[in-house]
Amino acid sequence: MPQRVAVTTLSHEPRKRFAEELQRLRLQRGLSLRDLQKAVGWDASLFGKMERGSTLGGPEVVQALDQFYGSGSLLLTLWELALGIRRSSRSSIGGTSCWRPRRWGYGSTR
């Protein structure tokens, strides 16, 4: 069987991939963390921690970033994978799927 060829140089580990994508989107637009703070409304230090992978942030922050960058639900999907969330097809709040984390907290390292 032929050996598989890597399609991307980006990480295949969900938490690291999420952090890489956050940084890529910000730098692609030439924004500093402070610029992002002004545009989205959360603290620049939170964005820095998210880009370093030391925290994942919460769903509200990630949805705001998806909206700001116009990335559909890309970041939210990567966030779910990084956090290990499974969507429940039976439960819904306000028309959106409920999040069911496997562990408490939004991905803080322990």
Side-chain angles (χ1 to χ4, degrees):
M1 181 176 238
Q3 197 171 16
R4 294 177 80 181
V5 178
V7 179
T8 178
T9 59
L10 297 171
S11 177
H12 295 288
E13 193 277 311
R15 188 181 191 102
K16 188 173 179 186
R17 178 69 175 92
F18 175 68
E20 289 172 346
E21 191 63 26
L22 288 172
Q23 187 174 50
R24 185 191 69 79
L25 287 168
R26 181 178 59 81
L27 294 177
Q28 186 178 49
R29 286 161 180 75
L31 299 171
S32 69
L33 291 170
R34 296 255 183 238
D35 294 334
L36 190 58
Q37 173 184 325
K38 291 175 189 171
V40 181
W42 272 273
D43 192 66
S45 66
L46 173 62
F47 297 132
K49 289 174 186 175
M50 290 171 72
E51 288 184 7
R52 287 188 305 277
S54 60
T55 188
L56 292 173
E60 300 86 7
V61 176
V62 178
Q63 287 174 325
L65 290 168
D66 261 335
Q67 185 174 11
F68 175 74
Y69 290 129
S71 53
S73 61
L74 171 68
L75 294 175
L76 189 59
T77 300
L78 291 172
W79 179 82
E80 289 175 338
L81 291 170
L83 190 55
I85 289 180
R86 291 180 259 179
R87 287 190 188 203
S88 170
S89 59
R90 286 191 260 158
S91 56
S92 178
I93 297 174
T96 60
S97 298
C98 290
W99 310 119
R100 298 227 171 153
R102 290 186 188 164
R103 54 188 150 78
W104 294 103
Y106 291 114
S108 57
T109 55
R110 294 182 196 204

